[in-house]
Amino acid sequence: MLREPEDRDRAAFIELLASPEVHTYLGGPRPRDELEREMPGAPERWPGSFVVDLDGTMIGQILLRRATGHHRPAAAGKTDLGYLFLPRAWGIGYAAEACAAALGWLADTLPGEPVVLTTQTANVGSMRLAAKLGFNEVERFEAWGAEQWLGMWSPVTPSS
């Protein structure tokens, strides 16, 4: 289930942001003590920010946000899909199901809005997820010392 972040999700958010496994391809985890000090409750709520809830417990986060400051011209100004899942939720299909639901929400909210996704090519799981969700490669580039992949998803709109 996708829902807004709540105060009860604080511990799961800290676990997600402090996890070395989750942040293998994202520049490394943040120190847990720093997160404990800086996160008084749930992260800020805004349209496109979702908690992925399984049986009343947060297992991940999905963010759909405008990529206004994106360094790649093909992505600038488009909606960017970001996701993080706790390792215990990996490999079961929850990310594909939740991301597909979030993309469906966006297609209903902003019909015709293209979405971009960037991941390291070394992140095999994210590359597989991008393909499963229907993202098509736009370009590959070097950033943060690794090859990055930029894909785009466009919702299917009925022709008039």
Side-chain angles (χ1 to χ4, degrees):
M1 177 175 87
L2 299 180
R3 61 172 172 77
E4 288 187 331
E6 299 174 357
D7 287 342
R8 67 183 168 119
D9 301 318
R10 182 179 183 271
F13 271 110
I14 290 172
E15 183 181 351
L16 195 62
L17 297 173
S19 169
E21 296 88 3
V22 171
H23 290 275
T24 298
Y25 302 102
L26 299 171
R30 294 199 40 210
R32 185 175 291 277
D33 61 334
E34 180 182 295
L35 292 165
E36 291 281 354
R37 279 192 315 273
E38 292 177 3
M39 191 178 295
E44 187 179 334
R45 296 177 184 179
W46 73 85
S49 172
F50 300 101
V51 160
V52 182
D53 184 301
L54 177 66
D55 299 327
T57 303
M58 179 182 158
I59 61 167
Q61 175 186 32
I62 295 178
L63 298 171
L64 289 164
R65 59 186 170 235
R66 186 79 56 199
T68 54
H70 207 290
H71 294 25
R72 307 311 296 177
K78 295 182 176 61
T79 298
D80 182 65
L81 171 65
Y83 47 86
L84 299 172
F85 283 81
L86 293 167
R88 66 178 173 268
W90 293 358
I92 305 169
Y94 295 134
E97 183 179 341
C99 287
L103 289 169
W105 170 84
L106 183 71
D108 288 344
T109 305
L110 297 171
E113 177 75 14
V115 179
V116 294
L117 180 151
T118 306
T119 189
Q120 281 190 24
T121 56
N123 188 341
V124 175
S126 278
M127 292 293 294
R128 256 192 308 243
L129 178 58
K132 183 181 264 189
L133 293 170
F135 280 82
N136 295 304
E137 183 173 329
V138 173
E139 68 176 308
R140 291 181 187 219
F141 59 97
E142 283 288 318
W144 303 290
E147 184 181 58
Q148 308 292 319
W149 182 91
L150 173 66
M152 190 170 308
W153 174 88
S154 295
V156 177
T157 53
S159 54
S160 10

